[in-house]
Amino acid sequence: MAIVQHEFTKKIIEILNCYFPSQGNAILNYSELLQYLNIKTKAANRGSKSRAGLANHYAIYVLVEDYLNKKFHLQNNYEDYEGVQFSVLLRRQRELPFGSKLQNHALNHRLNEEFKKYFPTSVYVPIIRDVKTNRYWLNENLIKIIVDYTQINIAQAVKDIIDAYITARQEAFDEFIVYCQEMLVIQQQELTRAIEFIRGLLRPNIDARVFEIVSYAILKEYYADQHIYWGWSSDVLNAEYLTLYKTGRTNANDGGIDFVMKPLGRFFQVTETIDVGKYFLDIDKVQRYPITFVVKTEQPIQSILNKLMEQATMRYKVKAIVRRYIEAVEEVINIPELMNRFDSVLERGRGTVVIEEIVLQSRVEFNPLLLDKEVK
DNA sequence: CCCAGCATTTTATGCTGTAT
DNA sequence: ATACAGCATAAAATGCTGGG
């Protein structure tokens, strides 16, 4: 059977390799239980938007944990074990992260049913239960497997894998959601505290969506103070302030231009790093529209530009083309520069406006997602 | 205490018209 | 051919409730 490959699969194999050096891959191939877990951990790196679905994971987890606690992986008498009481298992499930509202279904029925669905030909189901005594066991046949003529016990690895999955989910949840919630209530805080919070967001490892919103709010207000004069003849001039527009929802906008400025028509792109090839694919053939990059880094602007120059030189050699590359980068704004501009906005007493904008944008972006989490 | 039916909420998948 | 937004539908996950 072909094994589904996804982000977390690597992690699973890595954990297996810890216990059984260089056999990780083979073990995954032999173990239906591990394959099941592999299928059920697809959501690990899918970001904070998707729901975890931990019920079946935890059903396995609490049984494996009981198995390990009582050292059955070291002895050979699980056959004689009286089994675990249902309420003990359920209580433990509910102690685990995101498990507070779990119910009986996984243990009673659903884990086994789902397992059968994925492995219709398997002789075993993961959970064994005695309806008379209400006791539960793990199916040891799925825990003790034979690889290369040797019997191994994967109980500890199974527990570690589920732990790793929980950690991955929790990190995504914490980092992201906490910021979003904070951004939604930020107005109610004292202005100085709110400002400090925003400063704290301006760092390289912040979530990209959060960074985009914060940079937009700061830049919008920064440019709002500047105006230009234009007109159809030199004696009739209009004064117009620079306005920055967001071109779409952060989530929905992959690859597109993030902000546009009127009336100058500047394009802004928020990125982690400037990858020349990505934005100026065919620059050698066509003239490219200049872009201002807002880069989520603290590296000095000059060194970003140098790196850019290097990349371009390596790629194209010809000086004229390299120059066109650099010309297509209208401006680079890094985190320190963003911070400067934020300061100058604050000096004009416009901090509140920036915060209002952040709250507004956060609502548009994150509200549906927060409502869900708020219940937890 | 334990269990399962039914309801509700979320997510995955398929279909279709529009546009490139 | 390919890509995809918008919608409809199927399937899964989760929650409530009441009975043995």
Side-chain angles (χ1 to χ4, degrees):
Chain A
M1 169 190 298
I3 297 196
V4 198
Q5 292 283 329
H6 52 86
E7 270 302 297
F8 198 76
T9 310
K10 292 184 213 112
K11 186 82 194 168
I12 291 178
I13 292 171
E14 189 188 310
I15 290 170
L16 289 171
N17 279 332
C18 284
Y19 288 97
F20 314 102
S22 68
Q23 282 186 291
N25 239 317
I27 293 171
L28 180 56
N29 271 298
Y30 281 111
S31 164
E32 287 167 337
L33 188 62
L34 290 172
Q35 283 167 36
Y36 174 75
L37 281 177
N38 182 45
I39 293 167
K40 295 292 282 180
T41 50
K42 274 186 247 174
N45 300 288
R46 224 186 283 156
S48 32
K49 288 168 78 185
S50 71
R51 235 185 351 181
L54 288 162
N56 288 358
H57 303 75
Y58 281 177
I60 298 172
Y61 188 89
V62 291
L63 281 165
V64 170
E65 191 178 52
D66 176 73
Y67 181 88
L68 291 168
N69 283 343
K70 307 208 165 127
K71 310 270 189 270
F72 287 115
H73 59 308
L74 304 174
Q75 304 155 29
N76 254 336
N77 53 353
Y78 197 59
E79 297 87 11
D80 305 322
Y81 182 41
E82 57 173 352
V84 206
Q85 210 185 336
F86 172 81
S87 43
V88 173
L89 294 173
L90 186 68
R91 197 178 318 128
R92 179 64 185 132
Q93 280 191 339
R94 290 187 167 170
E95 286 168 13
L96 297 167
F98 310 104
S100 63
K101 292 185 180 165
L102 288 177
Q103 296 170 59
N104 57 312
H105 303 90
L107 284 163
N108 289 171
H109 189 65
R110 290 179 186 171
L111 169 61
N112 281 348
E113 286 307 305
E114 191 175 57
F115 188 84
K116 273 194 255 176
K117 192 189 79 185
Y118 286 123
F119 304 99
T121 57
S122 175
V123 198
Y124 311 116
V125 290
I127 294 180
I128 297 168
R129 123 189 199 219
D130 182 336
V131 273
K132 279 223 172 67
T133 61
N134 296 323
R135 297 286 173 149
Y136 287 76
W137 294 263
L138 196 57
N139 194 333
E140 212 180 13
N141 292 309
L142 293 169
I143 293 294
K144 290 179 167 179
I145 56 172
I146 306 224
V147 180
D148 294 337
Y149 308 105
T150 319
Q151 189 186 67
I152 60 170
N153 191 314
I154 58 170
Q156 188 67 57
V158 166
K159 180 169 183 280
D160 286 6
I161 287 166
I162 299 173
D163 273 327
Y165 180 64
I166 298 168
T167 305
R169 295 294 317 183
Q170 188 145 39
E171 276 169 9
F173 179 87
D174 292 348
E175 275 183 1
F176 185 59
I177 298 302
V178 168
Y179 288 131
C180 298
Q181 285 176 331
E182 190 71 13
M183 295 207 292
L184 290 184
V185 297
I186 197 169
Q187 277 174 312
Q188 290 141 34
Q189 298 177 10
E190 216 178 305
L191 186 60
T192 50
R193 265 195 68 195
I195 288 166
E196 277 321 298
F197 174 71
I198 292 177
R199 275 192 222 277
L201 295 181
L202 291 174
R203 55 189 167 72
N205 59 346
I206 192 72
D207 180 276
R209 287 165 288 184
V210 174
F211 182 72
E212 184 178 322
I213 285 179
V214 174
S215 10
Y216 173 70
I218 291 174
L219 290 175
K220 184 185 179 192
E221 200 48 38
Y222 174 77
Y223 289 118
D225 186 44
Q226 306 177 4
H227 57 274
I228 60 157
Y229 299 95
W230 63 272
W232 302 106
S233 71
S234 54
D235 51 337
V236 188
L237 293 178
N238 306 298
E240 191 169 336
Y241 284 91
L242 303 180
T243 319
L244 206 58
Y245 292 88
K246 238 167 159 297
T247 59
R249 295 249 313 236
T250 310
N251 286 327
N253 190 19
D254 37 297
I257 293 299
D258 296 318
F259 321 142
V260 176
M261 180 194 280
K262 273 196 71 146
L264 290 178
R266 288 177 61 179
F267 281 7
F268 289 70
Q269 179 73 52
V270 184
T271 60
E272 309 259 338
T273 50
I274 303 182
D275 174 4
V276 203
K278 190 168 151 195
Y279 293 100
F280 304 117
L281 218 46
D282 302 314
I283 199 159
D284 49 332
K285 302 188 197 88
V286 195
Q287 183 151 23
R288 306 313 296 200
Y289 198 97
I291 299 180
T292 296
F293 289 93
V294 183
V295 193
K296 209 177 76 175
T297 179
E298 283 168 348
Q299 286 175 46
I301 290 171
Q302 194 51 53
S303 88
I304 298 171
L305 287 172
N306 289 344
K307 212 176 277 178
L308 198 66
M309 184 85 89
E310 249 171 65
Q311 279 181 43
T313 311
M314 218 153 58
R315 206 162 169 141
Y316 294 100
K317 304 282 191 259
V318 186
K319 286 223 171 81
I321 304 250
V322 173
R323 200 176 58 241
R324 286 207 359 231
Y325 247 115
I326 301 303
E327 279 166 4
V329 178
E330 184 160 26
E331 190 186 358
V332 172
I333 299 171
N334 63 359
I335 288 179
E337 176 58 23
L338 213 50
M339 200 75 94
N340 287 341
R341 296 187 181 189
F342 187 39
D343 285 335
S344 88
V345 168
L346 292 176
E347 275 167 33
R348 300 204 325 267
R350 305 290 288 168
T352 318
V353 186
V354 172
I355 287 163
E356 278 166 10
E357 186 68 39
I358 289 176
V359 172
L360 177 68
Q361 295 297 332
S362 301
R363 280 198 193 289
V364 176
E365 291 288 339
F366 305 135
N367 231 359
L369 175 161
L370 286 174
L371 284 174
D372 170 37
K373 308 292 179 187
E374 213 101 45
V375 186
K376 290 236 154 81

